[in-house]
Amino acid sequence: MTTSAPSVSAVSPSALAVEHVSHAYGARKALDDVSFAVEPGIFAVLLGLNGAGKSTLFSIVTHLYASRGGKVRIFGHDVARESGAALAELGVVFQSRTLDPDLTVEQNMLYQGALHGMSGAQARQRGRDLVARVGLADRLKDRVRQLSGGQQRRIEIARALLHGPRLVLLDEPTAGLDIKARADILTLTRRLVDEDRVGILWTTHLVDEIRPEDKVIVLHKGRVLAADSARAVIAAAGADSIGEAFTKLTRGGGDDA
Amino acid sequence: MSAAASPARRPFGLAAYGHVLAGVVWRESLRFLHQRERFVSALVRPLVWLFIFAAGFRQTLGISIIPPYETYVLYDVYITPGLIAMIQLFNGMQSSLSMVYDREMGSMRMLLVSPAPRWFLLTSKLLAGVAVSILQVYAYLVIAWFWDIEPPTWWGYLTILPALILSGLMLGALGMVLSSLIKQLENFAGVMNFVIFPMFFASSALYPLWRVQEGSPWLATVCWLNPFTYAVELIRFAFWGKLDLFSLAVVLGCTIVFLAAAVIAYDPSRGMLMRRGG
């Protein structure tokens, strides 16, 4: 039996649908009725200060733990109930470094491939292609430890793409990088959207990483204050820039760091 | 080529499970081989006991003939199964704790975003730790052989293997449960004081329980209730080419219970992972 291409239904599901997700650690509410959607193949930015609830949301979307209320769907698959199917569509770049520094780039790729049930040959081939794609073909046999921070990030992006996900989550991927490396990572990620139609959800607190056509989800103190294109968010707030719009939106709750 | 050219999306088949397990074990072994200090300290620890402690006690402690031994054995021979179990105990606690704390948190998250079921990922991780502990045990046995510690027949080196797999699983799963339940055990010194030492000393690793019974009946009771005792006895009998059914049953039962508890602890909807999020 051959598997046919997924039929195009009248309403194709969002790459990511977060529906009424709430979460609390004890009495502290980290997420309060959060809802938004990320359409397939777009560059979306989750914008929020530290402590806004980005990490909690990230952990719930990646199925590290379940939300107290609400649902998360990835291409229509409920993360809590069909986690296998949901996670197969998802690539992740965590904020903390998760490559094995003592292993080579290629060994890291092979390990990731195995985790996604790929054979060694398949993972080797695809890993090589993707490492070339992020411009580090000559570093394939080098230990990760020998790579710069920016290079490691690029390898992490290549690794997140290994199993061919249609949505990639990046949690503050430019944190701790210099200006040049930051620009490189951003350019590389935007190319994935433009050339390969990979959907991206990029979390950050830096407004200068946002373009007018990007979808922006403003998360503040566990609540979604806006979820639209940056252009529309700016217009709705009556601001001149996304930075100003963010300040206006989050004003009134100014007791945070 | 396109980054999005996704490999045909198939359901997670048997081969995929195999790739996951093989990958996790392969990576753990590679990492272990890179960490020479860990290998050396894992080997030195039991050897210190063997060369110093056992040598000292050889004269003062006579071991009478108890199963599985059919002849009088030296004290070094008697404590070898205990030291083997100690290697596995240390290894199990170490790998389970490092899994959660330190920089490992990141790679643990990487593991858990795999589409494979979580119980399978955790079991694979445990088996990988067991594989590493078995490498350590055989390295120890090679050195012990030069010290004239060997089973009655060469078969002992083979019959000990299933016992090592099972006891390694039990101790690794225990480490996993402890690391998730007890927040105070965040550093290894705490684990040494409150888990490793009590488990090791209150067991049949260093002295036969009938001797403990003579000295302190309540301590003997504690030893009898300690699952580690049965891991030691299972290994002791297996090394001598014999099977102690009761130890097997206890170790098997404890493995299942600890493993189930570990899976529950790592369950996304309740476990300890939540408390650490932020």
Side-chain angles (χ1 to χ4, degrees):
Chain A
M1 197 190 93
T2 53
T3 317
S4 59
S7 58
V8 182
S9 54
V11 188
S12 62
S14 299
L16 175 67
V18 177
E19 299 162 3
H20 306 292
V21 167
S22 295
H23 198 77
Y25 301 104
R28 191 172 68 85
K29 258 197 170 169
L31 294 174
D32 187 7
D33 196 25
V34 168
S35 294
F36 65 88
V38 175
E39 295 74 28
I42 67 163
F43 191 95
V45 178
L46 183 63
L47 181 65
L49 302 168
N50 295 331
K54 287 176 297 179
S55 298
T56 303
L57 188 61
F58 212 83
S59 297
I60 290 170
V61 172
T62 55
H63 194 49
L64 191 65
Y65 44 78
S67 61
R68 291 281 190 233
K71 260 196 178 69
V72 175
R73 289 180 214 275
I74 297 170
F75 286 98
H77 302 294
D78 186 333
V79 169
R81 279 198 270 143
E82 308 160 73
S83 47
L87 293 174
E89 299 281 13
L90 187 69
V92 188
V93 175
F94 288 109
Q95 187 176 352
S96 56
R97 299 282 149 84
T98 56
L99 291 166
D100 234 317
D102 291 320
L103 304 189
T104 66
V105 169
E106 185 169 46
Q107 287 169 335
N108 271 285
M109 287 299 200
L110 289 175
Y111 174 58
Q112 176 73 3
L115 286 184
H116 281 268
M118 294 163 74
S119 73
Q122 204 184 359
R124 194 181 301 271
Q125 180 60 48
R126 232 184 114 69
R128 188 172 297 158
D129 292 344
L130 285 166
V131 169
R133 181 91 206 272
V134 301
L136 292 167
D138 54 330
R139 311 303 298 270
L140 198 63
K141 304 282 183 188
D142 288 351
R143 297 251 178 111
V144 165
R145 194 181 290 289
Q146 298 164 308
L147 271 54
S148 71
Q151 289 170 331
Q152 291 189 22
R153 267 293 184 245
R154 274 145 72 188
I155 295 296
E156 285 186 309
I157 292 172
R159 181 178 65 167
L161 294 166
L162 194 66
H163 61 287
R166 288 191 284 165
L167 173 68
V168 176
L169 264 53
L170 299 102
D171 190 10
E172 308 241 359
T174 55
L177 298 182
D178 62 36
I179 296 174
K180 166 88 169 58
R182 260 182 70 189
D184 285 349
I185 297 289
L186 200 54
T187 309
L188 169 69
T189 311
R190 289 193 181 278
R191 254 181 42 213
L192 294 172
V193 178
D194 297 338
E195 295 170 15
D196 305 311
R197 308 298 298 155
V198 173
I200 299 289
L201 181 63
W202 173 287
T203 75
T204 189
H205 59 275
L206 302 169
V207 288
D208 60 340
E209 293 176 351
I210 300 169
R211 282 192 197 162
E213 67 273 20
D214 293 341
K215 175 155 190 168
V216 177
I217 299 120
V218 178
L219 190 68
H220 187 65
K221 293 182 167 180
R223 302 175 71 104
V224 173
L225 300 183
D228 209 334
S229 73
R231 198 176 281 116
V233 171
I234 295 168
D240 293 327
S241 68
I242 188 70
E244 197 191 329
F246 180 77
T247 311
K248 279 190 165 181
L249 281 167
T250 56
R251 194 179 296 151
D255 56 314
D256 44 16
Chain B
M1 67 151 255
S2 161
S6 80
R9 193 84 60 206
R10 284 152 302 162
F12 225 72
L14 204 60
Y17 280 92
H19 293 316
V20 173
L21 175 60
V24 174
V25 173
W26 170 77
R27 168 180 175 270
E28 202 74 13
S29 311
L30 264 184
R31 275 169 53 87
F32 179 69
L33 294 176
H34 282 301
Q35 301 172 323
R36 286 212 189 89
E37 328 79 71
R38 193 176 147 203
F39 187 61
V40 169
S41 66
L43 205 53
V44 165
R45 201 176 299 119
L47 290 176
V48 165
W49 280 89
L50 182 66
F51 293 152
I52 300 175
F53 186 83
F57 274 79
R58 200 183 217 174
Q59 309 307 330
T60 49
L61 258 176
I63 305 289
S64 70
I65 297 170
I66 50 160
Y69 308 114
E70 282 153 359
T71 57
Y72 184 83
V73 294
L74 281 175
Y75 186 60
D76 328 33
V77 174
Y78 179 82
I79 70 164
T80 280
L83 296 181
I84 289 173
M86 182 183 75
I87 294 174
Q88 293 199 299
L89 180 63
F90 263 91
N91 189 74
M93 295 297 145
Q94 226 163 7
S95 55
S96 294
L97 284 189
S98 69
M99 212 167 82
V100 184
Y101 306 107
D102 311 335
R103 299 161 288 139
E104 287 272 323
M105 194 56 204
S107 63
M108 191 63 193
R109 295 185 89 170
M110 235 35 246
L111 178 77
L112 295 180
V113 291
S114 157
R118 193 158 288 191
W119 66 265
F120 186 78
L121 293 170
L122 293 176
T123 309
S124 299
K125 186 83 187 168
L126 274 180
L127 283 170
V130 172
V132 167
S133 81
I134 289 176
L135 278 178
Q136 297 171 357
V137 167
Y138 277 105
Y140 165 82
L141 282 175
V142 168
I143 297 173
W145 180 80
F146 285 107
W147 198 251
D148 281 336
I149 295 168
E150 50 184 329
T153 70
W154 280 85
W155 283 107
Y157 289 110
L158 194 64
T159 50
I160 196 176
L161 188 59
L164 291 177
I165 294 173
L166 201 56
S167 59
L169 266 179
M170 179 183 91
L171 297 170
L174 176 66
M176 225 180 234
V177 176
L178 287 179
S179 61
S180 69
L181 291 182
I182 308 167
K183 260 202 128 187
Q184 280 69 32
L185 291 185
E186 295 206 8
N187 59 57
F188 200 66
V191 180
M192 293 260 282
N193 285 333
F194 295 107
V195 181
I196 294 183
F197 285 153
M199 273 191 103
F200 180 61
F201 289 121
S203 78
S204 60
L206 295 178
Y207 12 75
L209 292 190
W210 66 265
R211 279 206 92 127
V212 182
Q213 181 79 40
E214 279 177 353
S216 163
W218 74 265
L219 182 59
T221 310
V222 172
C223 294
W224 283 120
L225 294 174
N226 181 359
F228 188 72
T229 293
Y230 301 93
V232 172
E233 291 309 305
L234 187 68
I235 293 169
R236 187 189 307 288
F237 277 75
F239 193 45
W240 237 246
K242 294 177 183 179
L243 174 66
D244 183 30
L245 271 178
F246 186 66
S247 295
L248 176 67
V250 173
V251 174
L252 197 62
C254 286
T255 304
I256 291 167
V257 170
F258 295 158
L259 203 55
V263 172
I264 291 170
Y266 277 84
D267 186 285
S269 61
R270 50 199 130 196
M272 40 74 68
L273 292 164
M274 180 126 35
R275 281 186 270 131
R276 278 161 221 287

